Amino acid sequence: MSGLIRVCDVEKYYGTQSNITKALNRVSFEINSGEFIGIMGASGSGKTTLLNMLSTIDTVTSGHIYFEHQDITTLNEEKLALFRKANLGFVFQDFNLLDTLTIEENIMLAMTLQGKRKQEIHAKCKQTMEQLGIAQIKDKFPYEVSGGQKQRCACARALVNEPKLILADEPTGALDSKSATALLDTFTAMNEKLGATILMVTHDSFSASYCRRILFLKDGEIFHELVRGNGTRREFLNEILDVLSLTGGDVADAR
Amino acid sequence: MLGKLTLRNVRRSSKDYMIYIVTMAVVASLMFAFNGMMFSRDMKELYREFAIFIAFVAMASFFIIMIVIWLVHYMINFMMEKRSREFGTYLLLGMRKKQIAAIFRRENILLGLISLLVGTIPGMFFQISFTNIFYSIVDVEYHISPDFSPWNLLLTFGLFLFAYILALFRVKRKFKKMTINSLIYLDRQNELVKNEKKTWKKLLVFISVAYIIIFNVLVLNSNMSMGSVWLYIAGLLAAIYLLYIGLSSFFISYIKKQRKGIYKEANIFVLRQLSSKIKTMRFTMGTLTILFTTALLAWMVVMMFADYQNKELARNLPFDVQVFNEDTKFDFKHELSLISEASTIKDQHIYNIYEKDTDHINQYLYDHVEGTWQGEGREGSSYFTYDTYIGISDYNYIRSMLGYSPVEIGSNGYLIHCVERVQPYLEQLARNGSIMDEEQQDKDLIYKGMYTEPLSQKGMNGADYLIVVPDSYMKTMHPYYSLLAVSLEGKAPSDLSERLAAIQPSYDGNGDYHLKMQYGYGSSNIISYSGIVLVRDNSIVEVGLALISMAFVLAYIGIVFLCAALTILAVQQLSDSSKYKFRYSILKQLGLSRRETNRVVLKQLGVYYMCPFVISIVLSMFIGLFASERFVYYTGIQAGIFQYYLLAVLVFAVIYLVYFIVTYVGFLRNIYDS
């Protein structure tokens, strides 16, 4: 495994001079290619801010983020768009599907934007939808399918261009437990079988237990790191809950 | 507290609906300008037939008020829908529906007042520049003067308030019917996107386009009877609506057929956006297209008439001054001294038109020429009671006054001088040898030809025609009436026509003449210029002013209407841009750069705006071509309408472009606004 992303001393401040909020404080870590990494923390701990930095949607106040040795904090708007197109895939809590497009078209759009050819688009779309079990609903609109199906569509869209990194922001947040489990299994399969590198932000310890490694954020700083190693998922979940109960994570998680 | 809330809301609304406020301000400024001209002393001084102008503006005001009511009503409904959540919250807080309705009404009246106030200053500026244009038509220098009447302020204010109150009439009832639940969830209703099962709907596009083409072909070949034309027009209106109904399905079917175009960039997104937008807006867009077409056509037809009349004027009034008198021995002394007082006479001629108690030519024309009419008693008819004759020497004299070469008929010839319209009928009569009466002794006169140069033949030198006979024949005839023809050096003073009319014995002082004989006006049905005193320069100014007022008032209605319609298109898109902002942030996550996103928006707005524009231009162009062709057919005069049409389209396009750019910029600002 090689270092895909290096986050070096990233800081992010919000607000005006009189009222500054420090969302991230000198955060540094690395992500290797083929990893399934989780970022945990309570609300306001800076998870989403960190994700926005990595996804280039927001800019850093100071520090650097290297993506395959390229510093993406120095790129301009145009180059960032190109970078996102070529390297990143997104899965969000509220699915972020385009409501005017069908499931298939949502996935296709991600490819047409890259200027791929018609045959390639069709073949790849079909393959991805089959892998994620949504081929039978391809002509439906997002509002016509269940939350789990929507999220799998979002996964398919994130996967279809074979990005180097998939960013997932609370992907199970809007799902019932059954759909959530199914989705996390999908993530694991994507990671293990398709070799996708996934970074998942979550405050749900059950979801986090599917990751191979977890970074804990608190008040904008990384205060702990857990690696799953060879243990079972169940053991890993207990470890996560231990960390959370020690550090005042979600009370519900510690019970 | 409620007052404060109202003011805050007004401030927010004026930001959100800037385009609406500005449009209303433009409307208000135009209203100010036109109403101001109605009360303007400068205008009254300039324009003798000022009542015509007032009538035009009053008529226009009616349309403007209707348009304003429509727009305000539309906007109020729109705002109520957008702000329903807020109103639901007010209800939750314990406000009564009556109070909310009152706040909302007050807010809207305040918004109206803002527009009105903003429009005042440009309104004054418009009034000055419009008045200036009127002055330049008459070649009089306009000294800009603050000519603003308080009545204008009061009238414009009153009209505006009236429109707002009417538009706000049913607000209370609407609030009464709403429940908290429906208010809170009203704004959540998205445009419903469905995959049409009925693929036949896309056929409507082809059917409508085919119908429009057939309609245009029929129109251009004049293959429509007057009876069926209404049926065809009803079909055309239906075709426009059906086109929009089909268009949405057409886009979807294009996507489903997986044509090449959808694999380029974000086209698939653009097509879906358009199809859902057109689907919800189809009725509005159809109506707008029809109204745009009507506005363009109305402008074109009026301009065509205007141009026709302008050209006819020169033909109808070949002499500088002409006066008619029933008295066959009238000497026109008064008239001549009046004319020479004010200007220099270059040439003059007093002569008689003759009759010989016959009317067979007139009767023949009544029987054969379309559109002739016979009035009761002295109210006038197409032709005089008797056929009209003139002696060759008088005829040659007035020819020379107009610069035409003299003609010869010898001692036994006759010729005919007539308007083009009756030429074939009189030729037929002449060939039959029945111009001259068989019972009289003049059967031996030989037909020497026909002339159709303009000769003032709408009651002066005969109605439609004169038979020119040798002077020796005049002995057998009776003088019928007297005429004075005058050529002037330079221009006639502007009040000459009025002063000459005032000294006519038959003039009643109110613009009407009461003649003892039956006057002939000629057979032309299209706005004719006749009367017993004709002063060319005065008429040209008068007609010019009438034309320019007509053009101004039409442009006024057209522009206000266009702005109102475009405001609706723009407000729809702008509110969508904030409601569906997330769609564009998804595109950004998918890797679309700002430039590419701009292009997506441009495509989407472009097609949305182009639809009504292109369709109405295509339609009005073809129908306009037909109208002008018919016009040439009926009048024999080539009216130069295309420059007017192009002018209308140009104004149309410029206003369109302004709204388009404003919408585009606002749209981008909304979707990038974090």
Side-chain angles (χ1 to χ4, degrees):
Chain A
M1 286 205 276
S2 59
L4 180 68
I5 296 161
R6 243 171 356 110
V7 178
C8 301
D9 282 341
V10 165
E11 289 190 315
K12 179 70 184 179
Y13 302 145
Y14 287 117
T16 53
Q17 277 193 333
S18 57
N19 182 22
I20 292 179
T21 314
K22 213 173 205 178
L24 287 178
N25 189 17
R26 297 177 73 89
V27 171
S28 300
F29 61 95
E30 269 188 44
I31 303 172
N32 294 318
S33 186
E35 241 191 323
F36 185 3
I37 186 171
I39 294 179
M40 283 201 78
S43 305
S45 61
K47 305 185 296 278
T48 304
T49 309
L50 180 60
L51 188 87
N52 285 344
M53 308 282 115
L54 285 169
S55 62
T56 73
I57 288 172
D58 205 348
T59 54
V60 300
T61 308
S62 74
H64 299 276
I65 299 173
Y66 295 98
F67 198 102
E68 290 183 325
H69 309 298
Q70 186 183 25
D71 187 354
I72 56 173
T73 56
T74 59
L75 298 179
N76 62 21
E77 175 79 22
E78 281 303 303
K79 283 189 178 150
L80 279 178
L82 277 176
F83 168 79
R84 277 199 297 273
K85 220 188 276 189
N87 298 303
L88 303 181
F90 293 91
V91 181
F92 289 92
Q93 175 175 4
D94 44 7
F95 323 122
N96 272 9
L97 294 178
L98 287 163
D99 53 346
T100 45
L101 302 187
T102 62
I103 297 294
E104 185 185 24
E105 287 162 8
N106 261 292
I107 302 167
M108 265 167 49
L109 180 64
M111 294 192 85
T112 61
L113 290 178
Q114 299 222 0
K116 301 250 167 76
R117 282 179 27 248
K118 180 176 171 178
Q119 285 79 3
E120 192 189 345
I121 291 176
H122 272 279
K124 188 74 192 174
C125 264
K126 197 161 164 255
Q127 188 199 348
T128 316
M129 285 193 295
E130 275 164 8
Q131 278 168 349
L132 295 184
I134 46 171
Q136 71 283 5
I137 52 157
K138 69 184 171 72
D139 288 329
K140 295 224 154 60
F141 283 96
Y143 74 91
E144 294 173 314
V145 303
S146 72
Q149 286 169 323
K150 273 187 228 177
Q151 200 57 302
R152 269 183 280 155
C153 172
C155 290
R157 188 180 63 184
L159 263 180
V160 77
N161 284 322
E162 299 176 359
K164 296 201 172 100
L165 176 67
I166 293 175
L167 297 163
D169 187 4
E170 305 273 9
T172 55
L175 298 182
D176 59 80
S177 62
K178 206 171 147 216
S179 306
T181 314
L183 181 79
L184 291 163
D185 287 336
T186 310
F187 268 38
T188 313
M190 278 156 58
N191 174 243
E192 289 174 357
K193 294 190 183 138
L194 307 174
T197 310
I198 303 172
L199 181 135
M200 179 168 75
V201 163
T202 182
H203 70 275
D204 171 35
S205 29
F206 176 75
S207 301
S209 68
Y210 279 78
C211 300
R212 305 299 307 179
R213 181 161 69 109
I214 295 171
L215 299 173
F216 291 87
L217 271 185
K218 192 178 181 189
D219 302 331
E221 292 178 38
I222 294 177
F223 79 95
H224 196 73
E225 183 176 340
L226 271 184
V227 182
R228 180 158 152 191
N230 292 325
T232 62
R233 197 184 56 74
R234 180 78 223 175
E235 289 161 5
F236 194 47
L237 176 60
N238 285 332
E239 282 180 53
I240 298 168
L241 290 174
D242 286 343
V243 175
L244 290 177
S245 61
L246 280 173
T247 59
D250 285 8
V251 180
D253 298 332
R255 249 177 223 155
Chain B
M1 192 61 211
L2 288 187
K4 204 171 185 180
L5 184 68
T6 311
L7 283 179
R8 289 267 162 84
N9 286 343
V10 166
R11 211 160 77 189
R12 188 193 51 199
S13 294
S14 57
K15 229 190 243 163
D16 289 352
Y17 300 103
M18 190 53 121
I19 209 164
Y20 164 59
I21 309 282
V22 171
T23 302
M24 290 311 283
V26 170
V27 174
S29 68
L30 287 175
M31 269 172 100
F32 259 121
F34 278 89
N35 292 340
M37 280 158 79
M38 275 200 322
F39 291 106
S40 152
R41 278 189 311 275
D42 293 341
M43 283 295 293
K44 217 175 264 171
E45 259 168 43
L46 176 80
Y47 197 171
R48 235 155 279 287
E49 304 280 338
F50 197 60
I52 295 180
F53 182 75
I54 293 180
F56 275 151
V57 174
M59 207 168 63
S61 290
F62 172 76
F63 283 106
I64 303 291
I65 292 298
M66 297 315 269
I67 296 169
V68 169
I69 291 176
W70 172 58
L71 179 63
V72 174
H73 188 253
Y74 187 96
M75 287 303 299
I76 284 169
N77 280 341
F78 188 78
M79 282 189 211
M80 265 177 86
E81 205 175 298
K82 295 289 146 192
R83 291 173 57 189
S84 59
R85 218 181 155 71
E86 178 190 332
F87 294 139
T89 315
Y90 292 161
L91 272 183
L92 274 177
L93 290 174
M95 260 190 225
R96 278 172 297 129
K97 286 179 180 171
K98 241 187 189 167
Q99 277 176 308
I100 302 177
I103 291 183
F104 188 60
R105 231 181 3 230
R106 240 174 280 151
E107 278 174 36
N108 276 292
I109 299 260
L110 268 175
L111 285 179
L113 274 177
I114 294 175
S115 300
L116 196 64
L117 289 180
V118 170
T120 325
I121 303 291
M124 290 174 176
F125 173 74
F126 282 148
Q127 185 187 333
I128 292 173
S129 43
F130 292 166
T131 310
N132 197 14
I133 293 176
F134 273 81
Y135 268 75
S136 69
I137 295 286
V138 198
D139 269 345
V140 177
E141 202 176 323
Y142 176 48
H143 300 287
I144 293 171
S145 59
D147 185 16
F148 302 111
S149 143
W151 291 110
N152 170 24
L153 275 174
L154 209 65
L155 178 69
T156 311
F157 183 83
L159 286 176
F160 229 66
L161 195 71
F162 173 71
Y164 268 83
I165 286 175
L166 269 190
L168 285 162
F169 188 58
R170 289 165 65 87
V171 161
K172 202 157 108 190
R173 189 183 297 179
K174 258 185 201 142
F175 272 106
K176 223 175 184 173
K177 278 193 195 154
M178 287 184 170
T179 61
I180 295 187
N181 195 41
S182 71
L183 277 173
I184 287 187
Y185 291 105
L186 195 62
D187 73 327
R188 290 233 182 134
Q189 288 168 0
N190 278 11
E191 271 157 5
L192 199 59
V193 200
K194 262 201 251 166
N195 259 338
E196 292 278 351
K197 296 257 170 2
K198 302 169 198 150
T199 44
W200 56 266
K201 270 197 180 170
K202 71 163 191 248
L203 294 177
L204 289 177
V205 173
F206 301 107
I207 295 171
S208 319
V209 170
Y211 182 83
I212 290 171
I213 292 172
I214 292 171
F215 179 86
N216 286 332
V217 169
L218 284 179
V219 152
L220 283 182
N221 295 330
S222 324
N223 256 340
M224 276 185 209
S225 67
M226 271 332 247
S228 63
V229 80
W230 295 112
L231 218 63
Y232 281 112
I233 290 176
L236 186 68
L237 298 185
I240 292 173
Y241 283 114
L242 291 179
L243 181 65
Y244 282 106
I245 292 175
L247 208 55
S248 157
S249 306
F250 179 76
F251 285 142
I252 293 173
S253 126
Y254 183 84
I255 296 171
K256 287 201 140 177
K257 285 235 173 90
Q258 304 181 336
R259 303 241 186 245
K260 234 180 173 170
I262 65 167
Y263 297 98
K264 263 181 77 187
E265 294 171 10
N267 281 0
I268 194 167
F269 173 77
V270 173
L271 284 171
R272 280 285 186 190
Q273 289 280 86
L274 277 170
S275 86
S276 73
K277 192 79 226 160
I278 290 176
K279 196 169 175 165
T280 36
M281 290 281 287
R282 60 195 167 189
F283 189 73
T284 313
M285 287 183 97
T287 311
L288 290 187
T289 306
I290 290 167
L291 291 173
F292 283 156
T293 312
T294 321
L296 274 175
L297 276 178
W299 168 267
M300 188 154 73
V301 168
V302 170
M303 284 301 116
M304 198 156 68
F305 266 92
D307 191 64
Y308 165 74
Q309 205 181 0
N310 233 351
K311 284 187 177 145
E312 266 290 274
L313 204 63
R315 295 166 64 90
N316 278 343
L317 303 170
F319 297 96
D320 287 341
V321 181
Q322 258 193 314
V323 186
F324 168 101
N325 201 295
E326 287 176 285
D327 183 354
T328 54
K329 297 206 162 59
F330 199 71
D331 60 2
F332 294 105
K333 221 162 79 190
H334 263 89
E335 280 81 358
L336 282 169
S337 69
L338 222 159
I339 297 169
S340 53
E341 253 173 45
S343 45
T344 321
I345 296 176
K346 197 163 86 186
D347 199 355
Q348 67 182 65
H349 191 56
I350 297 170
Y351 57 104
N352 282 121
I353 298 295
Y354 285 75
E355 48 89 7
K356 50 169 193 167
D357 291 335
T358 58
D359 65 350
H360 62 282
I361 304 179
N362 288 348
Q363 287 310 327
Y364 182 84
L365 293 177
Y366 275 131
D367 290 344
H368 292 84
V369 178
E370 248 182 84
T372 49
W373 51 284
Q374 269 179 295
E376 290 286 318
R378 295 195 188 109
E379 67 188 35
S381 295
S382 290
Y383 301 110
F384 288 96
T385 312
Y386 300 116
D387 301 340
T388 43
Y389 297 83
I390 186 172
I392 183 72
S393 53
D394 284 335
Y395 177 66
N396 271 333
Y397 197 93
I398 58 173
R399 276 185 77 88
S400 74
M401 284 175 78
L402 297 176
Y404 307 150
S405 53
V407 292
E408 283 286 331
I409 48 172
S411 57
N412 61 345
Y414 76 93
L415 55 85
I416 301 169
H417 194 117
C418 63
V419 296
E420 275 161 12
R421 202 174 146 79
V422 298
Q423 186 179 5
Y425 306 101
L426 293 179
E427 243 162 19
Q428 182 66 34
L429 267 186
R431 264 202 302 275
N432 295 348
S434 33
I435 287 282
M436 292 308 188
D437 201 346
E438 310 209 0
E439 287 161 28
Q440 305 261 337
Q441 298 307 307
D442 50 16
K443 186 75 177 120
D444 49 336
L445 286 182
I446 300 157
Y447 175 52
K448 293 274 184 173
M450 171 118 24
Y451 291 85
T452 56
E453 298 103 328
L455 199 75
S456 189
Q457 293 195 295
K458 285 188 174 174
M460 288 285 185
N461 288 319
D464 281 0
Y465 73 94
L466 276 178
I467 310 295
V468 186
V469 292
D471 288 342
S472 52
Y473 267 84
M474 305 321 292
K475 282 181 284 189
T476 63
M477 300 182 181
H478 325 291
Y480 196 6
Y481 54 85
S482 315
L483 286 174
L484 165 71
V486 178
S487 307
L488 298 175
E489 301 262 10
K491 277 201 166 183
S494 62
D495 58 349
L496 184 59
S497 158
E498 209 169 84
R499 287 169 62 193
L500 283 174
I503 58 167
Q504 296 309 305
S506 57
Y507 186 64
D508 68 357
N510 294 322
D512 274 332
Y513 301 97
H514 297 283
L515 299 174
K516 292 188 197 86
M517 63 190 284
Q518 177 184 287
Y519 193 77
Y521 288 97
S523 62
S524 168
N525 290 324
I526 305 192
I527 329 159
S528 66
Y529 221 81
S530 52
I532 67 167
V533 173
L534 297 178
V535 179
R536 184 172 54 192
D537 293 338
N538 295 171
S539 300
I540 283 175
V541 164
E542 203 78 341
V543 171
L545 283 173
L547 286 186
I548 194 98
S549 356
M550 202 143 72
F552 257 78
V553 167
L554 258 186
Y556 172 37
I557 299 176
I559 287 172
V560 167
F561 169 72
L562 190 63
C563 290
L566 286 171
T567 306
I568 287 177
L569 288 187
V571 163
Q572 279 277 351
Q573 283 294 341
L574 287 176
S575 101
D576 269 12
S577 68
S578 36
K579 182 171 176 183
Y580 300 117
K581 197 167 145 177
F582 69 93
R583 289 180 185 158
Y584 300 90
S585 58
I586 295 174
L587 288 182
K588 186 179 175 188
Q589 285 160 3
L590 289 177
L592 224 56
S593 70
R594 217 177 160 112
R595 214 180 48 218
E596 286 167 319
T597 312
N598 294 355
R599 213 164 49 220
V600 167
V601 174
L602 189 68
K603 266 190 210 168
Q604 185 188 330
L605 287 184
V607 177
Y608 175 76
Y609 267 79
M610 280 318 261
C611 276
F613 184 72
V614 171
I615 298 174
S616 53
I617 284 189
V618 166
L619 278 178
S620 60
M621 205 160 67
F622 278 99
I623 300 175
L625 272 175
F626 162 74
S628 71
E629 188 264 341
R630 289 279 90 184
F631 208 74
V632 173
Y633 176 80
Y634 281 119
T635 61
I637 282 183
Q638 186 72 50
I641 52 154
F642 258 83
Q643 72 257 36
Y644 294 114
Y645 181 69
L646 285 182
L647 181 73
V649 170
L650 192 74
V651 172
F652 196 61
V654 167
I655 297 177
Y656 225 88
L657 194 70
V658 168
Y659 274 85
F660 178 78
I661 292 172
V662 170
T663 313
Y664 179 64
V665 171
F667 197 105
L668 291 183
R669 200 188 53 206
N670 281 351
I671 62 170
Y672 293 135
D673 190 19
S674 51

